[in-house]
Amino acid sequence: MGGRGTRNDDEVIGAPGMELLADADRAESWFLVVGGTPQSHVDLSDPGHLDFSYVRRIAHAADLVAPGREPIDVLHLGAGALTLARYIAHTRPGSRQRAVDVDAPLVDLVRRRLPWDRRAQLRVGIGDAREWIAARHGASADLIVSDVFAGARTPARLTSVEFYAEAARVLRPGGLLAVNVGDGGALAHTRGQVATVREVLPHVALSAEPGVLRGRRFGNLVLTASHRPLPEDELSRRAHRDPEMARLLSGEELDRFVSGRAPVRDADAVDSPAPPDHVF
């Protein structure tokens, strides 16, 4: 969620239920809005520019999962406008990336109107994210990004131990899972998600802007997890130095945040909470 504004109405491109809105402040930049919810921002002239703060925090994981500009293998659950995939292709040339999205018209709109560099080793498919990740080979990904929303809510079947177990299976030993979580208020959903991921990946951290962590507003929290210890100090530094400063919770602080929450399983999973009407 984010963005500053759009240019005039003749610079709006649409399809049923979705729009591409021209960014008023950056040439060749667009917001993808689906069902009234801002899903992505992309700068066609500068793929290194990341407008949404939560995307920058996911990018921190992409920056730290391997040394320098070394290519990595990435799986994106939820394609949107492929903002992060473009960023990784730009910062880590030669990376092999695959993305999946259930919304074929959305993928077609992005292909036609927001084309990416065809030199990028990026393949985009249509399908259900959970079924798709279950079909991937074990220990085949350095980074898995889960950023799936139906409208403004993450479907229940992508919030359970069973789902995260598939992601953990596909991650390489030193790989990272990054999850975009939408939540607000007491953050009950997020607390449950941390407990759930911890069932299958022992090393977990959570980042968000202070106002979101304190329950003052609805927003995006980024959950990062791995089979091995996370680069917590550097993740924390980058979050703190971001233009929209964020905090990183880990270790005992994250234990207190979870506060005895039980992991979520398929049998009791529910969609993530809907944001208040005023958020967008």
Side-chain angles (χ1 to χ4, degrees):
M1 290 171 276
R4 300 165 302 281
T6 62
R7 296 197 280 273
N8 56 39
D9 290 341
D10 63 357
E11 296 185 80
V12 175
I13 299 169
M18 64 192 76
E19 295 177 302
L20 291 176
L21 307 179
D23 187 334
D25 298 324
R26 295 183 69 90
E28 297 189 68
S29 297
W30 298 84
F31 294 98
L32 171 63
V33 180
V34 180
T37 302
Q39 296 279 3
S40 305
H41 177 279
V42 61
D43 185 331
L44 297 180
S45 64
D46 180 10
H49 174 78
L50 302 175
D51 192 82
F52 292 178
S53 61
Y54 85 87
V55 177
R56 293 195 296 271
R57 282 182 273 126
I58 296 175
H60 298 162
D63 290 342
L64 297 172
V65 72
R69 290 169 65 83
E70 180 179 309
I72 57 176
D73 293 325
V74 189
L75 301 178
H76 301 268
L77 309 182
L82 297 163
T83 306
L84 192 69
R86 299 168 197 262
Y87 173 85
I88 292 171
H90 176 68
T91 57
R92 293 182 178 276
S95 293
R96 294 176 295 184
Q97 301 189 77
R98 295 191 66 184
V100 65
D101 202 289
V102 74
D103 193 335
L106 184 151
V107 173
D108 180 64
L109 177 66
V110 171
R111 283 186 191 276
R112 289 185 291 107
R113 298 297 188 174
L114 302 177
W116 56 91
D117 188 341
R118 295 303 177 182
R119 294 171 295 180
Q121 297 184 49
L122 171 60
R123 296 166 58 192
V124 184
I126 309 300
D128 175 85
R130 179 155 166 180
E131 293 176 0
W132 188 82
I133 196 70
R136 306 279 71 81
H137 293 300
S140 60
D142 299 303
L143 176 66
I144 299 174
V145 178
S146 183
D147 190 5
V148 181
F149 284 81
R153 306 179 73 179
T154 300
R157 63 197 311 270
L158 301 179
T159 68
S160 67
V161 169
E162 292 87 344
F163 164 68
Y164 288 121
E166 288 294 345
R169 177 187 63 82
V170 174
L171 270 185
R172 289 181 174 137
L176 298 179
L177 168 69
V179 184
N180 178 24
V181 181
D183 203 0
L187 301 178
H189 174 71
T190 305
R191 297 174 200 272
Q193 286 299 281
V194 174
T196 303
V197 173
R198 278 179 157 181
E199 281 288 285
V200 295
L201 291 168
H203 302 281
V204 181
L206 180 73
S207 66
E209 294 166 27
V212 175
L213 283 174
R214 293 173 185 147
R216 294 177 180 171
R217 63 181 183 82
F218 196 97
N220 298 88
L221 305 95
V222 173
L223 192 159
T224 307
S226 180
H227 295 287
R228 294 181 178 171
L230 296 166
E232 292 175 6
D233 289 346
E234 186 59 25
L235 284 170
S236 181
R237 278 193 290 270
R238 293 183 183 219
H240 184 77
R241 293 171 181 170
D242 189 82
E244 297 178 64
M245 186 189 75
R247 286 190 59 214
L248 186 84
L249 304 184
S250 62
E252 293 182 359
E253 193 172 21
L254 192 61
D255 292 342
R256 291 192 294 273
F257 176 84
V258 173
S259 187
R261 288 279 172 176
V264 175
R265 301 192 180 273
D266 278 343
D268 52 22
V270 297
D271 293 351
S272 68
D277 292 339
H278 68 270
V279 166
F280 306 121

